[in-house]
Amino acid sequence: MASPPRCRRVSACEATLAVLFVVAVLVNVTLISLMATWKTPTDPPSPQDNPYLIGVGRADCTGPPAEIPLMGYANPEQTAAGIHTRLYSRAFIIDDGRRRVVFVTADVGMISQRLRLEVLRALQVKYGDLYRQENLVLSGTHTHCGPAGYFQYTLFMVTSKGFMKASIKPLVNGIVKSIDIAHRNVKPGRIYRSRGALEHSSLNRSPHSYLNNPKEERDRYQWNTDKQVLVLKFTDLDGDGIGMLSWFAVHAVSMNYTNRMVSSDNMGYASYLMEQEKNRGQLPGQGGFVAGFSSSNLGDVSPNTGGPRCMNTGLPCDYLNSSCPIGGTKMCKAFGPGDDMFDSTRIIGHSVYRKAKELYAMAGEEVVGSLQAAHQWVNMTDVTVQINDTHTVSTCKPALGHSFAAGTTDGGGDLNFTQGAVEGDPFWDGIRDALLGEPSSQTQECHHPKPILFSTGEMNWPLPWHPQIVDVQIITIGSVAVVAVPGEMTTMSGRRLREAVKQELESEGAFKDTEVVLAGLSNIYTHYITTYEEYQVQRYEGASTIYGPHTLSAYLQKYRGLARAIAQDKVSELPLGPPPPFFEKNLFNLLPAPSVDRAPDNSSFGDVLQQVYPIYRQGEVVSVTFVAGNPRNSGDIREKTFVTVEIYDNTTDSWEIVHTDASWETRFHWLKGSNQQSNATIEWHIPFTAPWGSYRIKHLGHYKQRVGWQTLVSPYEGMSDVFRVTGSSY
């Protein structure tokens, strides 16, 4: 056979060599790439290479639901008399391996300085320096229906009948317990963020003040309130949700000033709905998923979307001063969107929950990066601000203006004060001067145009009436910056602060696409923070901006300093500032201890005074009344209940608890009668989803009796008759 032509043999060799050459090139390129990206074992991984350590926790912080004033409407006569829903503290711990931060949102009107200091002391005993003033943020949801009495400054003690250990102890213990639970639950996980707009759930209650802001500034925004909802979604490494944090700017005042029951209001109801959905089959307050709905720049934002109207005529209130021709400010009230305050709470809470649920489901942008925490104490009575090249301005000693006494359309004052007052009233000024002394000319000039009603910065008996030392704080979680605000910022004030912090954080290039969120009512309460322009109008919010017209400018300067230190990684160089006081003496309590309890003749505690009907339909209300003791005699009621609704289980021949006094569907009313007797009426608003079957309602409590020279507190129980729930007519 003839041999193949030489050209073929050469071509085959060339092809083989070409293939080997390509392979060699690929191998070399691969090796070069590996060498370029190789990290030695001594190179620490960046935070985004590893997941965060995350812990979530929730704990009951409900205080005594009887006789203690409710905090928010500043009415000592609005005292607790039962439970609508329980109050909870929700804690979120994040750790990047180098630093740790904690954010707590609690169902409380606001965080007081004394509450924060006591929490920090308790954490120091348990954890040493792990949780400190710089890495712990405490924020209140701003419910106006929690027990008062946890402030150490005189103004708040006067309106709350004093400083009460019975009020502050469950708050401290509940907050610390929520952090304990989160601490124990810390595990690797991830965080995702999502943002959207929620309309038809908020209304600006001081539009006249808002319109005093520069037009070019207002034109940058579509609404006169902030509609954005920010959600942080927390998951484990398998992607299973373990918690959620949400911020939305709206007052928690759907439950109005006529309410007498402890309630977490609209933001608490949003948490309730989210947690009930994620913790299927669990009672309220139980289950591992924790949903926190936090406050933001809600200073001029109302949930009463029906708007202010005169109760005696149904006509709109006066636009400028929110008063009525007959009845003044007392007759001007904001309504809606529901038929009553319970319905309004349900509607607003459900709207906030629904938007947060939607954003939670679509959250896909992962939060990565290191953690930072910056904190300072500031003497807010003496901050100098450089407003231009030639002029400086200063903050003032605290003072409240005449319009403070007018209240708001969410809860007006009882006297003849009106919002928008820029001149004093000789009658009230005369009474003030006779009882408290005239404000100094320096304070009056500093606060101009505010006509001063209470010069609280010059009132120090028996203790200072207002704080001087205030916390300013920022924590950053990757690209998310949480600004802890010590009061109630108005919409435009909040926008300016967010913009200032974002600008400083991104100025050094370390932060990009930064999400700045304001956590309101945090760490200490200093009333309101308006813009300089809003302050000139002197509606309620301006009159309650206690450090004067340049308060916001001072805060902008201080928070810019914190953000700049974070951006430049110079937080350790920040001065701590003057620490706040912790008063041991001269705290007073005007509420006497609860008296002994007495049952009517021929009856015992827990006996039924008004019995249930034998049968009810879904959607109806069951009501039963018991002989009761004073709920204050039950002591620490956290993680307990005054109420159970129970269904009979035929398969196990046992009774199963389906609702407690933490449930939205139950209401526990306590009525104090004469001769040291009292009753408890329990309502169960039967859901349309309630299973048909046999039910009973139990009431649990304690009564105090005198035995010889001693008093004895004993438990009792009462039980209704068994009744049936059906979906059909009867």
Side-chain angles (χ1 to χ4, degrees):
M1 180 182 295
S3 60
R6 181 177 295 272
C7 61
R8 282 188 176 180
R9 188 173 296 140
V10 171
S11 297
C13 291
E14 289 176 345
T16 302
L17 289 172
V19 170
L20 289 172
F21 177 79
V22 171
V23 170
V25 170
L26 290 173
V27 169
N28 281 315
V29 170
T30 303
L31 288 172
I32 291 170
S33 299
L34 288 172
M35 291 175 66
T37 58
W38 178 259
K39 290 184 179 180
T40 64
T42 57
D43 288 334
S46 61
Q48 54 262 43
D49 292 333
N50 287 329
Y52 293 116
L53 294 175
I54 301 170
V56 300
R58 176 189 53 251
D60 191 346
C61 61
T62 310
E67 298 183 316
I68 292 177
L70 299 177
M71 184 66 204
Y73 292 109
N75 179 6
E77 302 308 312
Q78 188 194 10
T79 54
I83 294 178
H84 174 226
T85 53
R86 283 194 168 245
L87 310 179
Y88 289 96
S89 171
R90 296 172 172 89
F92 301 81
I93 295 175
I94 304 103
D95 191 314
D96 67 358
R98 295 174 59 233
R99 298 185 183 92
R100 176 172 290 205
V101 296
V102 189
F103 184 87
V104 174
T105 176
D107 292 327
V108 64
M110 60 286 290
I111 302 298
S112 74
Q113 186 179 79
R114 181 57 173 252
L115 176 58
R116 176 171 168 82
L117 292 175
E118 293 208 11
V119 167
L120 285 169
R121 286 188 171 194
L123 292 173
Q124 170 70 31
V125 171
K126 283 193 170 191
Y127 301 104
D129 292 331
L130 183 59
Y131 302 117
R132 311 168 305 279
Q133 69 265 14
E134 61 262 29
N135 70 347
L136 170 67
V137 176
L138 301 182
S139 178
T141 61
H142 205 35
T143 174
H144 285 42
C145 305
Y150 57 96
F151 284 78
Q152 65 174 1
Y153 291 97
T154 301
L155 178 77
F156 304 108
M157 288 194 283
V158 168
T159 58
S160 303
K161 297 185 179 178
F163 175 82
M164 304 174 197
K165 291 183 179 179
S167 282
I168 196 168
K169 187 176 179 180
L171 290 174
V172 173
N173 291 342
I175 290 171
V176 170
K177 184 175 180 180
S178 69
I179 296 171
D180 288 340
I181 295 170
H183 180 88
R184 292 197 303 267
N185 290 339
V186 164
K187 59 183 177 181
R190 301 193 182 278
I191 306 173
Y192 302 88
R193 77 182 195 185
S194 185
R195 178 178 176 175
L198 174 60
E199 300 183 49
H200 313 301
S201 296
S202 59
L203 182 82
N204 193 307
R205 68 186 187 187
S206 285
H208 183 55
S209 297
Y210 180 87
L211 287 173
N212 214 42
N213 291 305
K215 183 178 185 302
E216 59 271 21
E217 182 179 34
R218 289 185 281 112
D219 287 347
R220 293 166 51 197
Y221 303 98
Q222 183 177 356
W223 299 289
N224 62 3
T225 64
D226 280 340
K227 306 296 185 183
Q228 69 262 24
V229 178
L230 176 67
V231 164
L232 295 184
K233 176 181 181 178
F234 300 89
T235 74
D236 60 20
L237 293 185
D238 294 327
D240 295 327
I242 59 175
M244 185 208 75
L245 254 177
S246 173
W247 287 268
F248 178 61
V250 69
H251 256 79
V253 291
S254 293
M255 299 293 290
N256 64 38
Y257 63 96
T258 67
N259 172 56
R260 298 283 302 279
M261 290 186 289
V262 169
S263 175
S264 58
D265 212 290
N266 46 40
M267 301 304 274
Y269 184 51
S271 289
Y272 175 89
L273 290 172
M274 193 73 177
E275 290 178 347
Q276 286 294 99
E277 176 178 318
K278 296 296 183 180
N279 300 315
R280 292 284 184 183
Q282 300 278 357
L283 292 171
Q286 299 179 5
F289 189 93
V290 178
F293 285 76
S294 183
S295 60
S296 193
N297 53 319
L298 48 67
D300 51 359
V301 188
S302 170
N304 296 309
T305 54
R309 294 187 173 273
C310 295
M311 292 190 292
N312 49 1
T313 65
L315 297 175
C317 304
D318 179 85
Y319 178 75
L320 298 180
N321 56 35
S322 299
S323 65
C324 300
I326 301 175
T329 56
K330 188 67 177 176
M331 278 291 158
C332 178
K333 292 290 174 282
F335 292 93
D339 296 330
D340 57 31
M341 61 182 171
F342 299 100
D343 194 31
S344 293
T345 301
R346 178 189 62 79
I347 292 171
I348 297 298
H350 189 270
S351 294
V352 176
Y353 147 76
R354 188 175 60 233
K355 174 55 68 171
K357 176 184 174 182
E358 171 193 321
L359 295 173
Y360 178 89
M362 62 187 290
E365 182 181 353
E366 186 171 3
V367 177
V368 296
S370 61
L371 307 180
Q372 288 276 12
H375 171 277
Q376 283 183 307
W377 287 304
V378 176
N379 183 349
M380 276 300 293
T381 69
D382 188 26
V383 178
T384 300
V385 182
Q386 188 85 35
I387 57 173
N388 56 41
D389 293 338
T390 59
H391 288 80
T392 61
V393 293
S394 298
T395 54
C396 315
K397 291 181 178 180
L400 292 163
H402 276 245
S403 294
F404 163 77
T408 73
T409 55
D410 293 322
D414 290 321
L415 304 172
N416 63 333
F417 292 91
T418 57
Q419 295 198 64
V422 292
E423 294 183 359
D425 182 290
F427 175 76
W428 291 113
D429 288 348
I431 293 177
R432 175 205 62 203
D433 295 348
L435 295 177
L436 304 172
E438 183 180 2
S440 68
S441 57
Q442 179 184 3
T443 298
Q444 292 186 60
E445 291 170 5
C446 188
H447 280 271
H448 182 79
K450 176 194 291 179
I452 295 175
L453 182 62
F454 298 118
S455 184
T456 53
E458 298 173 318
M459 298 161 62
N460 295 293
W461 186 87
L463 288 167
W465 281 54
H466 264 144
Q468 292 185 345
I469 309 303
V470 175
D471 297 71
V472 292
Q473 184 183 23
I474 299 175
I475 61 172
T476 60
I477 307 162
S479 58
V480 177
V482 180
V483 182
V485 176
E488 305 179 53
M489 276 199 169
T490 60
T491 299
M492 194 62 84
S493 291
R495 289 168 174 169
R496 292 183 189 177
L497 179 57
R498 283 200 303 267
E499 191 173 73
V501 169
K502 181 180 176 70
Q503 184 181 63
E504 289 292 342
L505 287 175
E506 296 183 347
S507 63
E508 300 292 325
F511 286 80
K512 295 179 180 178
D513 190 26
T514 311
E515 184 75 57
V516 180
V517 63
L518 306 185
L521 292 308
S522 294
N523 299 333
I524 179 175
Y525 185 60
T526 61
H527 296 265
Y528 285 74
I529 305 158
T530 65
T531 67
Y532 175 83
E533 294 84 358
E534 292 165 347
Y535 186 92
Q536 306 307 306
V537 181
Q538 279 298 297
R539 282 178 61 85
Y540 175 82
E541 294 81 12
S544 304
T545 298
I546 63 174
Y547 299 115
H550 303 293
T551 298
L552 177 61
S553 296
Y555 279 127
L556 290 175
Q557 177 173 285
K558 292 299 178 181
Y559 283 106
R560 277 185 179 275
L562 296 183
R564 191 179 309 118
I566 291 174
Q568 297 175 352
D569 197 20
K570 294 182 178 180
V571 172
S572 61
E573 299 177 15
L574 286 171
L576 295 177
F582 187 94
F583 298 126
E584 302 280 6
K585 299 179 180 179
N586 296 331
L587 297 166
F588 59 87
N589 181 2
L590 303 178
L591 184 68
S595 63
V596 297
D597 296 300
R598 300 188 187 280
D601 294 339
N602 303 316
S603 64
S604 302
F605 292 98
D607 285 355
V608 175
L609 296 175
Q610 180 180 328
Q611 194 55 265
V612 297
Y613 295 125
I615 191 166
Y616 293 87
R617 287 182 291 186
Q618 294 163 329
E620 294 184 333
V621 179
V622 183
S623 179
V624 56
T625 301
F626 298 90
V627 176
N630 188 328
R632 288 173 65 198
N633 288 327
S634 291
D636 186 357
I637 64 168
R638 293 177 305 119
E639 313 296 345
K640 301 174 183 176
T641 183
F642 290 99
V643 176
T644 62
V645 178
E646 304 173 6
I647 187 172
Y648 182 70
D649 188 337
N650 290 307
T651 59
T652 61
D653 190 26
S654 62
W655 291 90
E656 177 187 352
I657 297 175
V658 293
H659 297 292
T660 66
D661 61 15
S663 300
W664 172 263
E665 295 82 0
T666 61
R667 296 176 193 173
F668 167 55
H669 300 273
W670 178 70
L671 178 63
K672 184 178 182 179
S674 58
N675 300 322
Q676 298 168 324
Q677 298 178 5
S678 58
N679 300 337
T681 296
I682 295 166
E683 295 178 359
W684 177 35
H685 294 245
I686 306 173
F688 287 101
T689 57
W692 298 4
S694 298
Y695 290 82
R696 67 185 187 187
I697 294 177
K698 183 188 291 186
H699 167 50
L700 305 94
H702 292 77
Y703 66 94
K704 180 194 288 187
Q705 60 182 332
R706 184 170 288 109
V707 180
W709 294 100
Q710 295 182 327
T711 56
L712 179 66
V713 175
S714 304
Y716 70 87
E717 291 185 5
M719 191 82 69
S720 75
D721 288 344
V722 175
F723 57 93
R724 287 193 58 78
V725 171
T726 178
S728 60
S729 58
Y730 48 82

